[in-house]
Amino acid sequence: MKTERWKDEWVWHVLLLIAIFVMLWPIVFMISTSFKDLDQVFESTLNPLPFPPTFSNYTNVLREFPLFTYIWNTFFIAACVTISKVITSVMAAFSFVYYDFKYKETIFNAMLLTFFIPVTVLIMPNYLFMSKLGLLDTPYGVMLPAFADGMGIYLMRQTMRGIPKALLETSVLDGAKPHHILTKVVIPLIKPAIFANAILFFINSWNEYFWPLLILQSNENLTLPLALQLFISAEGGSEWGVAMAVATLTSLPPLVLYIFCQKFIINTFMNSGVKG
């Protein structure tokens, strides 16, 4: 019996390792290619170990590519979107959990329906709205449609529902106002969940490509994903080592954030299903 169970587990472990390899190989290929010269790129394309490694691709990027301008543009948009989404998610979740008002469940279920609406359906109305506001080719046109997030509201609501009602009732009996309960009681208890959601918001905004592509036209306003595509097009698609160096530098900040904060992110998704 134990032998059969071990065989089944061995098969699943092998399948899991294959899946992990398939998912990680593009990242390994990107990083290794960024340390190869042009000859190595074409002669040993699939070899993950550059020999000898070269840093010339990175020096070329830092010399010819206004990387820090694009980093600032991307960081500014991602930080503003993250702060706004965290505030709206926490406040909306607090109202759904601790207030009783007419059609509360209907409004919440309608918000959940937004998960199933394709993003492409909303692109045209959002674009026309930003055009009417005169926000095309500005970072604010990229940020404004992303100031609220249905998934963030859902996750915050599920987390808040795990707080004992007695604790909040005691605060009310002590004369605490709703905003005091939110800031002094609720937020300190859900800080890990807030932090995890903020990281997810930041990474998603950092990696956003299609919507900024529609809004931003000037080179000085581009975000890193757009600048990467512009750089590859300018190089004619031949300087793969330099292009991979740009891609590595572009993906490094969100990758580092996730590596250090994955514990909070995983715990948030696990705890979100405890209470329905």
Side-chain angles (χ1 to χ4, degrees):
M1 193 70 179
K2 290 184 178 180
T3 304
E4 293 180 358
R5 182 179 178 183
W6 181 86
K7 288 181 178 179
D8 293 337
E9 291 180 352
W10 181 83
V11 171
W12 284 111
H13 278 84
V14 171
L15 293 176
L16 181 60
L17 290 174
I18 293 174
I20 293 174
F21 175 80
V22 171
M23 295 176 66
L24 291 181
W25 172 249
I27 300 176
V28 175
F29 176 82
M30 175 184 69
I31 297 174
S32 65
T33 304
S34 69
F35 290 101
K36 294 179 180 179
D37 57 32
L38 197 58
D39 292 335
Q40 291 186 69
V41 169
F42 291 103
E43 292 176 1
S44 56
T45 304
L46 298 180
N47 183 7
L49 299 176
F51 184 81
T54 177
F55 291 92
S56 61
N57 296 324
Y58 288 94
T59 57
N60 290 337
V61 168
L62 295 176
R63 184 176 63 251
E64 301 176 4
F65 194 62
L67 184 66
F68 295 105
T69 299
Y70 297 135
I71 288 177
W72 166 250
N73 294 341
T74 312
F75 176 81
F76 177 70
I77 293 174
C80 292
V81 168
T82 299
I83 293 171
S84 176
K85 281 186 176 182
V86 167
I87 293 174
T88 55
S89 297
V90 170
M91 295 182 67
F94 183 76
S95 65
F96 279 125
V97 174
Y98 301 111
Y99 285 98
D100 290 322
F101 52 89
K102 195 174 183 180
Y103 304 123
K104 182 176 77 171
E105 291 301 322
T106 303
I107 295 173
F108 181 75
N109 291 331
M111 184 209 67
L112 292 181
L113 287 176
T114 61
F115 298 168
F116 305 98
I117 299 177
V119 178
T120 52
V121 175
L122 304 175
I123 286 177
M124 185 56 68
N126 281 335
Y127 181 85
L128 294 175
F129 185 46
M130 295 302 105
S131 177
K132 290 293 184 182
L133 294 177
L135 296 178
L136 296 182
D137 200 21
T138 66
Y140 307 102
V142 178
M143 293 186 287
L144 186 58
F147 275 173
D149 186 89
M151 179 61 73
I153 296 173
Y154 170 76
L155 293 175
M156 287 291 97
R157 175 182 179 267
Q158 296 302 93
T159 303
M160 289 183 187
R161 294 187 69 172
I163 300 176
K165 287 284 186 180
L167 179 61
L168 302 172
E169 292 172 355
T170 302
S171 302
V172 174
L173 292 175
D174 289 339
K177 300 296 182 181
H179 64 278
H180 289 145
I181 296 176
L182 176 62
T183 56
K184 303 296 184 183
V185 180
V186 175
I187 289 180
L189 293 175
I190 63 171
K191 271 186 178 179
I194 293 175
F195 187 69
N197 279 280
I199 296 301
L200 290 177
F201 295 152
F202 186 88
I203 292 175
N204 290 336
S205 180
W206 183 280
N207 294 330
E208 184 68 32
Y209 176 79
F210 190 68
W211 177 244
L213 177 65
L214 295 178
I215 299 297
L216 303 175
Q217 287 94 32
S218 302
N219 289 346
E220 62 271 14
N221 292 329
L222 296 182
T223 59
L224 273 172
L226 300 183
L228 172 60
Q229 180 60 40
L230 180 67
F231 181 83
I232 294 176
S233 300
E235 294 295 328
S238 59
E239 294 291 340
W240 288 108
V242 179
M244 291 300 103
V246 177
T248 301
L249 293 173
T250 301
S251 60
L252 195 59
L255 187 63
V256 171
L257 274 176
Y258 179 78
I259 290 174
F260 284 100
C261 305
Q262 59 179 320
K263 177 181 177 181
F264 298 104
I265 297 173
I266 293 173
N267 287 339
T268 297
F269 278 100
M270 291 178 64
N271 294 332
S272 66
V274 174
K275 291 185 177 287

